[in-house]
């Protein structure tokens, strides 16, 4: 009986410890996430990204925080005209969450700065799949298609914008320009105003 009591008592002591290992969040991941969040608040992007990357590797629930930090650091890089670094951070953010429309939009914007119109076109196309009612995505994709000489698809996107917002000045101007280009083979359009990533 004495041995049975010792066994049961030992089991009761071990059970809460093992449950706490599996039931409670990883303390180290929590600490890293907290540290990374504080670093992001202080705009210490390298430290924030590194801490949040480690926390995410330990516990996937921190992935949204990592994506946010990567996007913020990409914005800082873009503001410093470091577009390759911004692109790398946005690519990493999209690996973590490929359905993040704002990261796709930022990636497209950076690609346009790098004159990689194919990458920009792909990013806006993916963003449209995620958020098909965002006029801005169609406007920029229409511009890219126009620059690439795909006037038919540029017009299709312009018409989508006008269906959603019939008095959109950019779409009205683009439609007139596209019609003129189709008729006369005109030169490419002026660049659109850029939104920072």
């Amino acid at each position: 009986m004495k041995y049975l009591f010792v066994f049961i008592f030992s089991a009761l002591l071990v059970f809460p410890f093992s449950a706490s290992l599996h039931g409670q969040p990883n303390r180290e991941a929590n600490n890293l996430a907290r540290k990374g969040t504080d670093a992001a608040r202080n705009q210490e992007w390298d430290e924030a990204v590194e801490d949040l990357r480690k926390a995410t590797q330990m516990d996937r629930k921190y992935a949204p925080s990592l994506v946010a930090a990567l996007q913020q650091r990409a914005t800082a890089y873009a503001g410093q005209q470091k577009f390759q670094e911004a692109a790398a951070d946005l690519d990493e953010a999209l690996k973590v969450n490929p359905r993040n429309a704002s990261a796709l939009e930022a990636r497209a914007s950076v690609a346009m700065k790098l004159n990689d119109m194919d990458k920009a076109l792909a990013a806006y196309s993916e963003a449209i799949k995620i958020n098909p009612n965002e006029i801005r995505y169609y406007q920029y994709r229409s511009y890219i298609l126009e620059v690439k000489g795909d006037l038919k698809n540029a017009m299709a996107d312009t018409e989508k914008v006008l269906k959603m917002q019939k008095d959109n000045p950019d779409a009205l101007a683009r439609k007139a320009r596209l019609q003129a280009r189709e008729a006369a083979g005109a030169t490419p359009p002026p660049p659109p105003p850029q939104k920072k990533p």
Side-chain angles (χ1 to χ4, degrees):
M1 186 73 167
K2 180 179 176 187
Y3 294 109
L4 181 60
F5 175 77
V6 170
F7 175 75
I8 292 172
F9 184 73
S10 299
L12 289 174
L13 287 175
V14 171
F15 177 73
F17 179 74
S18 64
S20 70
L21 287 177
H22 300 293
Q24 290 185 357
N26 184 323
R27 264 198 196 122
E28 186 178 357
N30 284 344
N31 290 338
L32 284 166
R34 191 174 309 110
K35 187 177 168 192
T37 301
D38 289 343
R41 224 178 270 125
N42 295 324
Q43 297 183 1
E44 297 166 350
W45 304 119
D46 294 341
E47 183 180 334
V49 167
E50 191 56 34
D51 289 339
L52 288 165
R53 183 181 291 126
K54 289 176 185 174
T56 300
Q57 288 170 345
M58 292 177 200
D59 191 337
R60 290 294 296 171
K61 76 178 182 183
Y62 297 113
S65 298
L66 173 60
V67 169
L70 286 163
Q71 283 184 261
Q72 291 169 339
R73 185 169 73 174
T75 300
Y77 281 143
Q80 299 166 359
Q81 307 293 308
K82 295 180 178 179
F83 299 116
Q84 292 291 351
E85 292 87 343
D89 274 356
L90 292 165
D91 287 343
E92 185 176 346
L94 288 166
K95 285 178 188 172
V96 176
N97 181 5
R99 295 198 41 83
N100 184 323
S102 67
L104 284 163
E105 181 179 15
R107 183 61 181 97
S109 179
V110 167
M112 289 172 71
K113 290 287 190 183
L114 293 168
N115 291 318
D116 187 348
M117 293 302 180
D118 291 333
K119 185 76 169 184
L121 183 62
Y124 277 122
S125 295
E126 285 301 310
I128 286 170
K129 289 177 189 174
I130 295 164
N131 191 354
N133 296 319
E134 182 56 61
I135 291 173
R136 193 171 64 243
Y137 300 163
Y138 290 103
Q139 287 178 296
Y140 281 113
R141 188 170 76 173
S142 176
Y143 167 76
I144 294 165
L145 289 164
E146 184 180 3
V147 167
K148 290 175 65 70
D150 186 349
L151 303 183
K152 180 181 175 185
N153 286 319
M155 182 64 85
D157 276 356
T158 300
E159 291 293 345
K160 286 178 187 173
V161 171
L162 290 170
K163 282 182 182 176
M164 290 187 270
Q165 188 180 43
K166 66 179 178 176
D167 59 345
N168 183 292
D170 179 63
L172 290 169
R174 179 163 290 115
K175 183 175 181 175
R177 190 171 56 244
L178 288 169
Q179 288 171 335
R181 281 189 72 193
E182 284 177 350
T187 59
Q194 286 289 313
K195 178 185 172 201
K196 290 193 177 190

